[in-house]
Amino acid sequence: MANSVSRTEAVAPVTRAALLDQLRGIVGRRNVLATARSQRPFTRGFRYGGGPVAAVVRPGSLLEMWRVLNLAVAGGRAVILQAANTGLTGGSTPWGDDYDREIVLINVMRLAGIHLLQDGAQVVCLPGATLDSLEKRLRPLGREPHSVIGSSCIGASVLGGVCNNSGGALIHRGPAYTQLSLYAEVRADGSVALVNHLGLDLGDTPEEILSRLERGDLPRPAPTDAWASDRDYADHVREIEADSPARFNADPRRLHEAAGCAGKLAVFAVRLDSFPAERETAVFYIGSNDPAELTGIRRHILSRFANLPIAGEYIHREAFDVAATYGKDTFLFIRRLGTDRMPALFAAKARIDGLTERLGLGTTISDRVAQRIAALAPQHLPARMIAFRDRYEHHLLLKMGGAGIAEARDHLAGIFPSASGDMFECTPDEGRAAFLHRFAVAGAAVRYRAIHAAEVADIVALDIALRRNDRDWVETLPADLDAKLVKKLYYGHFFCHVFHQDYVVRKGHDCLAVEHEMWRLLDRRGAEYPAEHNVGHLYKAKPGLSAFYRQIDPTNSLNPGIGQTSKRAHWH
């Protein structure tokens, strides 16, 4: 059945001791974590967030996940669904201790199945499937997932991307999106319903549906008009005169059931498109001291080129410098060992940080050791990139594929060298280095904070979406606000007009006040935020997004408090 619904009714709440016993009966004693020490890797956010829970539960099958969810809800607990815990805004952990109910945190990373449909043209991913594992599965088929570098390198899950409408660096693919999913919802009467909108006839009961899905016993997909990706984004991003952003998390165009649900539904599977991998690519490295020059390139390519770029990443000189020093170990690790081992590296770092924290040594020792080792390595960036850093404030990495290579080569040759800028076509090694360096920027501010804890209060990290018709994209801060900052890191997805802005706040200043000042400036510019990391607990959900959360979770049982909404049952 393409639209089957199965329900489990609510029952009376139980004590914590009884709840833990029942959970152990479902998933086994080893997979119910009830002590603060054992729970730490799951209750402490990747960058922000944390708080107590009654239990961390690690189901080993979809049917176990279904039963745990039902037991927790029937027992009067709130539930947080968590995958890789790589969120940047604190949205996959508790946030403080002021909830009105105990929390059961369900970590789904043991549920890592990936099933191919139509020879890999589409995939069905289970809750714990990672972007990294999906990329490996598709690579022999000459295909790629929605995102191929970025979140994939830190072990992020496929479902996490969909549930947060995450963006990505690939211009023509837009935000992670699907209308085809299998999920459970908690209804207004407290009952839990399993809803099959995968477009696959898997049976009538939760037991049959979930068991068949897990073992990959999938029927031929029925004809459907439902989307498994954002099909119109390539045209949408080209509308350079539009007075609205190309993509942002609260965009009502892309809030649909699992897509954008931010954990307000318990998602068991998503069905997604994959994409042909480009066989021939080229990277053009552009430097300029005139932002208008880059604006002209963006507008011309989006409006005139027959072929959209694969990616177009912006780096400001200050971000370049911080990443060159504080992202060097990340760069070298990926360069020598590949992205495949990055998730294991982050997991090992989390374990070390947990140990040093318990020993009273803080959580920065691993960063300090890595920083000292990296400093011993020779210069890791190509000479031409360093020369451009010295000459130019603004850097644009333009990656083209197929026929787009000649298009870009001819157009850029007619622009450069100019009075304010220049470009060079990268060798394959330089192209890889340029994009690795851009990736390393993302963690550089966090490393800087760890190394300079005596001078730094914290980081205010914003990801914003400017309007597609904005020409004035360079931020100028008021002098009094600028004086509160040690570093300003600007980087992002230039053609989508999505920018990441990391502000390292000087010791002695209130980071929350700084962030609110930034929001007021962004509001005056007509920007939307967050653009692709979702609200988590750092941002206030705007009315439309908050209404969507209330619609899909009327009892506020799942991930309560997200977007600074109410943490209380029934939204009281």
Side-chain angles (χ1 to χ4, degrees):
M1 294 170 60
N3 191 22
S4 61
V5 176
S6 302
R7 301 180 66 185
T8 296
E9 302 297 329
V11 297
V14 296
T15 66
R16 183 193 289 196
L19 177 71
L20 292 174
D21 284 343
Q22 292 173 28
L23 290 171
R24 291 170 182 135
I26 296 172
V27 301
R29 181 170 294 274
R30 291 180 58 191
N31 293 304
V32 178
L33 310 179
T35 67
R37 178 175 175 177
S38 63
Q39 293 170 351
R40 185 192 184 282
F42 306 94
T43 58
R44 182 74 63 89
F46 180 71
R47 185 181 278 184
Y48 302 103
V53 300
V56 173
V57 187
R58 303 175 66 244
S61 71
L62 294 180
L63 196 54
E64 286 184 2
M65 177 179 162
W66 166 254
R67 289 170 177 163
V68 168
L69 173 67
N70 277 271
L71 179 62
V73 172
R77 271 64 176 190
V79 175
I80 294 176
L81 281 298
Q82 179 192 84
N85 193 18
T86 58
L88 299 179
T89 56
S92 54
T93 65
W95 189 267
D97 58 1
D98 57 341
Y99 296 83
D100 64 340
R101 299 148 287 169
E102 289 186 320
I103 295 169
V104 172
L105 191 155
I106 303 176
N107 181 277
V108 299
M109 290 306 290
R110 295 176 67 204
L111 312 176
I114 297 172
H115 305 304
L116 303 182
L117 298 176
Q118 302 167 20
D119 298 320
Q122 289 190 330
V123 296
V124 175
C125 294
L126 303 192
T130 64
L131 281 166
D132 175 65
S133 60
L134 179 58
E135 185 178 352
K136 291 178 187 175
R137 186 75 183 276
L138 291 172
R139 191 178 296 149
L141 307 177
R143 302 189 71 84
E144 294 177 337
H146 168 266
S147 180
V148 296
I149 189 167
S151 295
S152 58
C153 295
I154 58 176
S157 69
V158 176
L159 264 71
V162 172
C163 292
N164 289 303
N165 279 152
S166 298
L170 303 180
I171 296 167
H172 53 292
R173 298 185 190 173
Y177 180 73
T178 186
Q179 297 170 351
L180 298 163
S181 61
L182 174 68
Y183 61 89
E185 60 186 8
V186 181
R187 297 191 166 169
D189 62 359
S191 64
V192 181
L194 184 67
V195 182
N196 181 9
H197 286 170
L198 278 174
L200 302 171
D201 185 355
L202 297 170
D204 299 318
T205 67
E207 290 76 15
E208 183 181 9
I209 293 169
L210 297 173
S211 297
R212 285 188 62 184
L213 175 61
E214 187 146 34
R215 65 177 180 263
D217 179 14
L218 306 181
R220 182 183 298 273
T224 179
D225 293 327
W227 290 9
S229 62
D230 189 346
R231 293 179 185 173
D232 69 3
Y233 187 77
D235 294 326
H236 183 71
V237 75
R238 285 183 180 271
E239 296 173 3
I240 59 172
E241 300 303 339
D243 194 34
S244 62
R247 56 179 168 92
F248 56 101
N249 288 131
D251 187 350
R253 297 167 52 257
R254 294 297 171 260
L255 298 176
H256 181 85
E257 297 177 348
C261 74
K264 303 300 285 182
L265 297 172
V267 185
F268 288 81
V270 293
R271 178 175 158 190
L272 297 165
D273 291 329
S274 69
F275 304 87
E278 290 283 359
R279 296 184 178 181
E280 182 186 10
T281 63
V283 174
F284 300 89
Y285 199 104
I286 302 165
S288 181
N289 290 316
D290 182 5
E293 194 163 45
L294 299 189
T295 298
I297 292 171
R298 172 184 175 269
R299 291 176 63 85
H300 180 90
I301 288 177
L302 289 178
S303 61
R304 304 286 184 85
F305 271 29
N307 302 277
L308 276 177
I310 297 171
E313 294 294 288
Y314 169 76
I315 311 175
H316 184 267
R317 177 188 278 155
E318 188 167 16
F320 184 110
D321 290 347
V322 172
T325 301
Y326 299 95
K328 185 177 180 180
D329 61 314
T330 297
F331 181 104
L332 293 173
F333 185 93
I334 295 176
R335 192 66 178 268
R336 294 176 183 176
L337 299 177
T339 59
D340 295 355
R341 300 191 186 182
M342 283 295 289
L345 176 68
F346 278 99
K349 182 183 184 306
R351 288 194 296 271
I352 293 170
D353 291 345
L355 174 62
T356 57
E357 185 179 44
R358 288 197 301 274
L359 295 174
L361 302 174
T363 60
T364 65
I365 290 179
S366 63
D367 290 286
R368 294 178 182 278
V369 170
Q371 190 64 27
R372 289 176 182 174
I373 292 173
L376 300 175
Q379 175 58 253
H380 61 296
L381 297 177
R384 288 201 288 181
M385 281 178 60
I386 295 173
F388 265 47
R389 177 264 166 227
D390 294 339
R391 293 165 58 191
Y392 304 116
E393 181 180 1
H394 306 285
H395 298 243
L396 177 62
L397 285 54
L398 178 65
K399 186 174 184 179
M400 303 296 299
I405 297 173
E407 243 183 331
R409 188 178 288 142
D410 291 345
H411 179 63
L412 295 176
I415 298 174
F416 297 114
S418 69
S420 54
D422 204 351
M423 58 79 64
F424 63 87
E425 185 171 343
C426 295
T427 66
D429 188 65
E430 286 174 328
R432 286 190 293 271
F435 274 88
L436 269 183
H437 185 58
R438 158 62 185 88
F439 171 72
V441 177
V446 177
R447 172 63 58 77
Y448 186 95
R449 176 183 63 184
I451 302 302
H452 299 278
E455 304 100 56
V456 172
D458 209 338
I459 300 166
V460 171
L462 303 179
D463 65 295
I464 70 163
L466 298 181
R467 296 168 298 192
R468 283 167 284 174
N469 63 355
D470 273 328
R471 295 173 183 260
D472 186 15
W473 51 273
V474 176
E475 181 176 72
T476 302
L477 296 176
D480 60 334
L481 180 55
D482 193 65
K484 299 174 184 178
L485 307 176
V486 179
K487 296 285 184 183
K488 304 186 296 288
L489 277 62
Y490 297 103
Y491 56 103
H493 315 307
F494 188 65
F495 287 80
C496 300
H497 255 197
V498 167
F499 293 90
H500 303 294
Q501 302 181 173
D502 294 345
Y503 307 97
V504 183
V505 180
R506 198 177 302 278
K507 203 82 164 180
H509 294 285
D510 183 343
C511 291
L512 187 59
V514 168
E515 184 167 21
H516 289 175
E517 287 186 70
M518 297 293 184
W519 290 355
R520 287 190 286 272
L521 294 174
L522 292 172
D523 290 340
R524 288 201 287 269
R525 296 174 69 189
E528 289 283 353
Y529 51 91
E532 61 180 13
H533 293 158
N534 218 339
V535 289
H537 289 279
L538 293 183
Y539 296 90
K540 184 177 179 62
K542 293 186 176 180
L545 184 58
S546 178
F548 175 65
Y549 293 158
R550 285 174 176 261
Q551 173 196 339
I552 61 178
D553 184 17
T555 66
N556 202 19
S557 294
L558 304 179
N559 211 2
I562 199 75
Q564 299 182 16
T565 58
S566 171
K567 293 181 177 179
R568 303 182 68 81
H570 301 282
W571 301 93
H572 292 313

